Amino acid sequence: MKKIYIINILVILVGIFLLFSASKDMSTYGTFDAASASGKRMKVAGELVKDKEMKYNPEVDANAFSFYMSDADGHDAKVLLNKPKPQDFERSEQVVVTGSMREGIFVADELLMKCPSKYKDEEINLRNQG
Amino acid sequence: MASIQYIGETLWPGFIGHVCILLSFIAALFAAVSFYNYLKSDSETEKASWYALGRAGFLIHGIATLLLIALVFFIMGNSMYEYNYVHGHVSDDLPMRFIFSAFWEGQEGSFMLWMFWHVLLGFFFLRKKDRWSASVVMTLGLIQFFIASMLLGIHIPLFGEEFKIGSNPTVLLRDMIDAPIFNKADYLSLIEGTGMSPLLQNYWMTIHPPVLFLGFASTAIPFGFAIGGLLTKDHTGWLKPALRWSLFSSFFLGTGILMGAAWAYEALGFGGYWAWDPVENASFVPWIILVAGVHTNLVALSTGYSIRTTYIFYLLTFLLIIYSTFLTRSGILGDTSAHSFTQMGLEWQLAGFVGFFFFGSLLFYLFRRKSIPTNKKEEGLNSREFWMLIGSIVLFFSAALIITSTSLPVFNAIMDATIEPGYIGKVIEDPIEHYNKYQLWIAVIIGVLSGSSQYLRFGGRNWDGYKKTFFTHLGITAILSLIGSFILYRYFNEAHWQHQILIFSGLFAIISNLDYLITFVKGNIKASASAFSHLGFGLLIFGILLTGLNKSYITSDPFGQRGLLTQDQLNSNLLLFQNKPYPANSYMYTYTGDTLDGNLKKFNINFKRVDDQQKLVEEFDLQPSAIYDAKFTKIGAFNPDTKHYWNKDIFTSVSGYPSHLQNIDSLKVLEDRLVFEPYSVNFQDTFHIINEVQIKTGVRLDTIIGQFESYTFSPEHENIELDSVDLAVGAKLRFYHPILDTTYSATPALVLSEGLVYQYPVSLDPLRLRVGLDESVFNQVFTQEHELNYQELQLKKGDAIQVGNFEIGLIGFDNDPTDSNYTAEEGDIALAAQLVIREKGTSERTESNPIIIIRGNQQFSIKDYLPALGLHTRFNKIDPKTETMTFSIAQEERNLNSVNLSIAQNVPRSDLLVIESIVFPGINLVWLGTCMMLFGLLLGMIVRYKH
């Protein structure tokens, strides 16, 4: 048998093995309930609750920002992020946080947010004019 | 609705633009078909005419495309906001130097940029009339046909739904958006462009896209050669010309990616140069495959092995480029990427673009596969080609792993659309760790192969004689690298055994390639190109290891309270109050203020490093900044600033800034929330204010002691220009803060300007107070004209008399007086008196200059007012015979012994910011290593172009 075939088989085997092991790095977005139950680190996606308090007071802690978020089940929970408040956070629609539940608060160290595009803003602006 | 005759629109560029797009679209296909016929035709005469047709078609296509681009620049440069694309990307205040950035900020513009390079490359290949040039231009034409379709902007109703084909950059705004404003004929005078995102207003946005898109566009050339090879069944003739073009392409694509990384690092404040973001991956993966292709192409050219692999790699490179276009532009990445384009409704069209080329070219390859020659004899283990092939397969494997993980959102969408509606998509939990974990091993293998295969010869030539040299060099390099890895390992923080293996591999690549350059290359430039690239790769490994493992956050707050956040969670941000030094991690940080430069606010941060004996070791300033939008309503972006050393960078960004300084809406909310309480204070009396202050350890009650010192009629306030106001009064106040043991002075003021009274309150940030003068103060200290009691007096020059509390003397005249209330006319006689006034019991003399004007037989007088004395003077009459002047003087009866203040407390401070500083050791190895890799590619290209 040619060496190249052996190599190809080897590559395919390693590939399959890696595919299985890589799938362990992947998960669906969790919910606050699931995070409470498991106590494990997970990613929760949801929406920012805009009428509840958003708190960032650097004089108390420059590395703590808290807000309320509503997950896929519609459950609200307080989120404590170990970073300053991101710019334009109030405007965000979708929020994804990574962390775990501690004493009823979701303690996160990563946050991704999706803001509405400026084009949408402008379109609304134009529609409201005239 | 009757059609409206709109005012001020320029419509001809739109018409021409539409024609150009259609022409470009059709001519591209025509050129492709003609060149196809040229390649397939057997008769020479037919060939000649097909070639002529194809050439004409591509020329028309190219000219139409270039004209379209020129037109779009024209309407953008002239701010024609009636056009949708102009409205969305230009604004009146956008500096002209950003016109290029604005052009390719949007999807349509970047499609045009991509097309621009295809046209130029196509024109280059039209110079030569052979089958390979024809293949390349044919392929370019077919690709351009698809990209041009993205600009068509046609809406087709189908199955009750409206399908959008392309988005036209020369379409009118009113055709895109249905809004009541378009019922007005003069709507154009009411609208303004929305401009560019401030985040993109920098030189990176000017230089990065053209280079990256040249990289994208040039991958079509090796692809075109491969298609030509398959089409003509000449499977070897294209290998030589294709190689230099794939080197060209890998150089520009690599440079584009590097510029993107540098941009992310230098300006965007992502806190790193590479984050395995899907958009980054999408352009990185085709580059890896292209580099693998360069290697197999070299093998194929030198030995005749690996022709099939080369085909596959070149086809895949281009397919991955258009797949990456699909990923970044279709909106499918959703919330997994920080910087993809916004959705434009072209998902299906983009998918069609990818699908056509994907299935078309791969099926074509499979169809032709049998006819591609292979070497019957196996590559020997001692041959360079065998290990180059292995390396290429490993690169392919690396790319496959990355693109599979990156495509997770696509997989999710497919699952949702087909097998399982409502499928809940999966995401990678920790992308950076995920990718690093696998790519580390790829780097290990590539590092070792990039060194060891250099020592080998193609075909294992003269192996028996060479064997000894080979094993000596390999052995010594391996031993040196092994020893080195044990020594260097200790300099890495948090390094694991995997990292030690990577250190070994990186060292191996560096030592072996240096050795190869010195011992084997001996001035042979052609052979040195690969050594440079591989050496660069070894250096890059060290750069990545150092920046990744030894990165440190030097702004963690040693006195921070963590609460629920545990100690292991990153505490990397530091609060700084203006002019208040704060020590952390052997640095003393001071925020010394900010300066405004256009719409850029630069924050000045002073760094002082002290040693154990508190001796100053070094001192420097960094200026991270914030860009406001053109109207100063909000901050668009924060830019970091970096201190560069030869061995590290200190990267500093503003990570927190009071929201009322970030945008005007928050400022309004804050202003509305402030409660001003009245305080009535007598001269020299004190008053108390108690603030509740939240600090790290809880709530602190601050008692502040205020005192009214005196009134001033020339108040110093940063926003008052005393020369340009009519009247001003300020109250000098002092505030003492017992905890800070500091006294602050403040002078809130009232100003009369053009009949209106303005308030100038003072913010005392450290005291959290805003202090203003109540408007009643104005009437308290100033008396209106009709309430004044004037007293008449007559003076000659040199006279002085006592009036009430004042001694008034006339010392002279000014016969050319100026006053803001007086405009001189021809024939006027104007005279200002110079009255010297001294209050009883003081020695201070004040001059007063009332003016008299004689115009014909009319007389006017312009009075003078000395607010500090409360004295009004008028110059009423001149008696030329006796030289006696008549004046009238009035003194105000006023109360300067009390003041009404309005004070708001617990005001959020504006004199603070939060910074994050990261030390990146070895970052220069990342840049140096990458640049050397790219230099090797460039050198290879130049050498091959010359031969």
Side-chain angles (χ1 to χ4, degrees), chain A residues 3-4 7 21-22 25 27 29 43 59 61 63 82 84 87-88 94 102 114 118-119 122 127 129, chain B residues 88-89 178 181 194-195 334-335 378-379 390 427 429 434 437-438 561 564 570-571 573 634-635 768:
Chain A
K3 282 191 289 291
I4 197 71
I7 290 159
S21 82
D25 291 355
S27 66
Y29 286 131
K43 263 187 157 73
E59 294 178 57
D61 188 345
N63 293 287
N82 74 328
Q87 206 196 342
D88 278 341
Q94 261 260 311
R102 268 180 224 164
K114 210 67 179 172
K118 72 163 197 168
Y119 304 105
E122 277 313 317
R127 284 189 206 284
Q129 267 177 4
Chain B
H89 300 282
D178 191 16
I181 191 167
T194 60
D335 49 24
E378 245 190 303
E379 300 101 322
I390 299 290
V427 285
E429 270 175 31
H434 167 81
K437 187 167 67 184
Y438 296 112
Q561 301 287 319
L564 265 187
L570 200 57
N571 148 12
N573 298 280
K634 73 185 284 292
I635 289 179
R768 290 154 223 276

Side-chain angles (χ1 to χ4, degrees), chain B residues 43-300:
Chain B
S43 103
E44 277 307 313
T45 46
E46 263 183 44
K47 264 179 120 65
S49 52
W50 279 121
Y51 186 88
L53 281 175
R55 185 185 164 86
F58 196 85
L59 281 174
I60 292 170
H61 160 78
I63 291 164
T65 307
L66 296 180
L67 191 59
L68 171 71
I69 291 167
L71 266 176
V72 174
F73 269 115
F74 174 76
I75 57 173
M76 290 180 95
N78 288 300
S79 306
M80 297 182 178
Y81 298 129
E82 58 268 41
Y83 291 97
N84 182 48
Y85 197 72
V86 181
H87 178 261
H89 300 282
V90 179
S91 59
D92 284 347
D93 40 56
L94 185 78
M96 260 301 142
R97 66 197 147 99
F98 291 131
I99 192 85
F100 289 101
S101 314
F103 179 86
W104 45 68
E105 184 196 14
Q107 291 222 27
E108 296 89 335
S110 59
F111 276 130
M112 285 188 281
L113 176 60
W114 195 4
M115 289 179 77
F116 171 78
W117 288 124
H118 279 152
V119 166
L120 288 202
L121 291 168
F123 283 178
F124 186 85
F125 277 94
L126 280 184
R127 293 179 324 145
K128 224 172 160 189
K129 187 177 170 182
D130 61 25
R131 66 162 60 147
W132 304 122
S133 299
S135 307
V136 169
V137 186
M138 174 194 79
T139 313
L140 286 174
L142 197 57
I143 298 165
Q144 290 287 78
F145 170 71
F146 276 87
I147 306 180
S149 78
M150 305 288 167
L151 301 176
L152 282 176
I154 301 173
H155 295 254
I156 299 174
L158 205 67
F159 311 117
E161 271 186 77
E162 194 163 81
F163 280 89
K164 186 178 162 189
I165 296 182
S167 173
N168 184 334
T170 60
V171 81
L172 291 174
L173 181 64
R174 60 181 157 91
D175 290 338
M176 281 303 285
I177 298 172
D178 191 16
I181 191 167
F182 299 119
N183 292 330
K184 297 180 180 172
D186 62 342
Y187 81 94
L188 197 52
S189 61
L190 304 171
I191 59 168
E192 217 245 291
T194 60
M196 261 182 87
S197 160
L199 198 66
L200 300 176
Q201 287 184 25
N202 55 42
Y203 66 94
W204 287 109
M205 185 62 188
T206 310
I207 57 173
H208 167 64
V211 176
L212 188 67
F213 273 96
L214 176 55
F216 281 3
S218 55
T219 60
I221 296 173
F223 179 75
F225 275 111
I227 292 290
L230 292 175
L231 201 65
T232 58
K233 291 188 192 167
D234 177 354
H235 295 297
T236 49
W238 62 278
L239 289 168
K240 193 158 184 268
L243 180 59
R244 55 176 178 251
W245 280 101
S246 54
L247 285 165
F248 174 92
S249 183
S250 53
F251 172 75
F252 280 103
L253 186 57
T255 307
I257 296 168
L258 171 68
M259 285 165 109
W263 180 8
Y265 175 73
E266 281 285 325
L268 291 177
F270 292 169
Y273 50 88
W274 196 258
W276 294 111
D277 185 279
V279 170
E280 297 169 349
N281 297 348
S283 49
F284 183 44
V285 166
W287 184 79
I288 300 175
I289 301 281
L290 183 58
V291 169
V294 166
H295 286 84
T296 54
N297 192 340
L298 211 64
V299 170

Side-chain angles (χ1 to χ4, degrees), chain B residues 430-652:
Chain B
D430 193 343
I432 293 182
E433 195 199 304
H434 167 81
Y435 289 105
N436 282 350
K437 187 167 67 184
Y438 296 112
Q439 297 303 319
L440 182 142
W441 294 109
I442 304 282
V444 167
I445 302 171
I446 295 296
V448 171
L449 284 180
S450 75
S452 52
S453 60
Q454 292 280 34
Y455 292 131
L456 287 166
R457 294 168 169 180
F458 279 122
R461 185 168 43 86
N462 192 14
W463 175 245
D464 288 332
Y466 179 65
K467 205 158 52 178
K468 208 176 147 204
T469 324
F470 172 74
F471 282 114
T472 320
H473 280 273
L474 195 70
I476 291 172
T477 307
I479 289 164
L480 284 177
S481 305
L482 195 65
I483 297 166
S485 75
F486 275 97
I487 297 168
L488 291 176
Y489 179 65
R490 295 183 297 142
Y491 293 97
F492 288 90
N493 309 326
E494 290 173 50
H496 299 291
W497 59 272
Q498 296 97 318
H499 298 122
Q500 189 178 358
I501 296 176
L502 188 56
I503 295 168
F504 167 80
S505 159
L507 270 181
F508 189 88
I510 293 171
I511 297 171
S512 54
N513 280 291
L514 276 176
D515 175 34
Y516 180 71
L517 268 175
I518 297 161
T519 341
F520 294 82
V521 173
K522 289 181 191 135
N524 178 351
I525 299 172
K526 194 172 172 183
S528 72
S530 71
F532 278 121
S533 278
H534 293 177
L535 186 58
F537 181 73
L539 294 173
L540 177 62
I541 287 181
F542 276 95
I544 293 171
L545 277 171
L546 278 167
T547 49
L549 295 175
N550 286 11
K551 170 169 94 174
S552 63
Y553 296 88
I554 54 169
T555 43
S556 57
D557 186 353
F559 309 110
Q561 301 287 319
R562 303 303 349 241
L564 265 187
L565 298 166
T566 47
Q567 286 305 331
D568 57 295
Q569 255 166 332
L570 200 57
N571 148 12
S572 60
N573 298 280
L574 195 63
L575 168 73
L576 295 178
F577 291 111
Q578 194 169 344
N579 295 324
K580 209 176 151 197
Y582 197 92
N585 309 298
S586 76
Y587 281 91
M588 183 65 93
Y589 299 91
T590 319
Y591 162 39
T592 56
D594 42 59
T595 49
L596 209 56
D597 176 10
N599 59 348
L600 192 73
K601 190 187 237 177
K602 288 181 178 164
F603 306 100
N604 200 61
I605 319 277
N606 179 265
F607 288 65
K608 282 192 186 81
R609 194 156 63 88
V610 289
D611 61 13
D612 296 338
Q613 280 86 45
Q614 296 302 305
K615 230 180 81 198
L616 185 68
V617 182
E618 67 164 327
E619 181 179 358
F620 58 90
D621 283 3
L622 283 179
Q623 292 188 314
S625 55
I627 316 171
Y628 283 85
D629 64 0
K631 296 176 190 89
F632 270 96
T633 52
K634 73 185 284 292
I635 289 179
F638 287 98
N639 285 341
D641 193 19
T642 307
K643 167 92 175 158
H644 301 284
Y645 296 84
W646 71 270
N647 61 345
K648 68 178 178 194
D649 271 6
I650 295 179
F651 171 94
T652 299

Side-chain angles (χ1 to χ4, degrees), chain B residues 680-705:
Chain B
S680 188
V681 189
N682 285 330
F683 182 55
Q684 297 287 339
D685 272 6
T686 57
F687 57 101
H688 292 78
I689 302 165
I690 299 170
N691 266 335
E692 266 184 32
V693 183
Q694 290 204 321
I695 53 162
K696 284 169 194 163
T697 45
V699 175
R700 188 180 77 192
L701 290 180
D702 277 16
T703 305
I704 297 154
I705 303 158

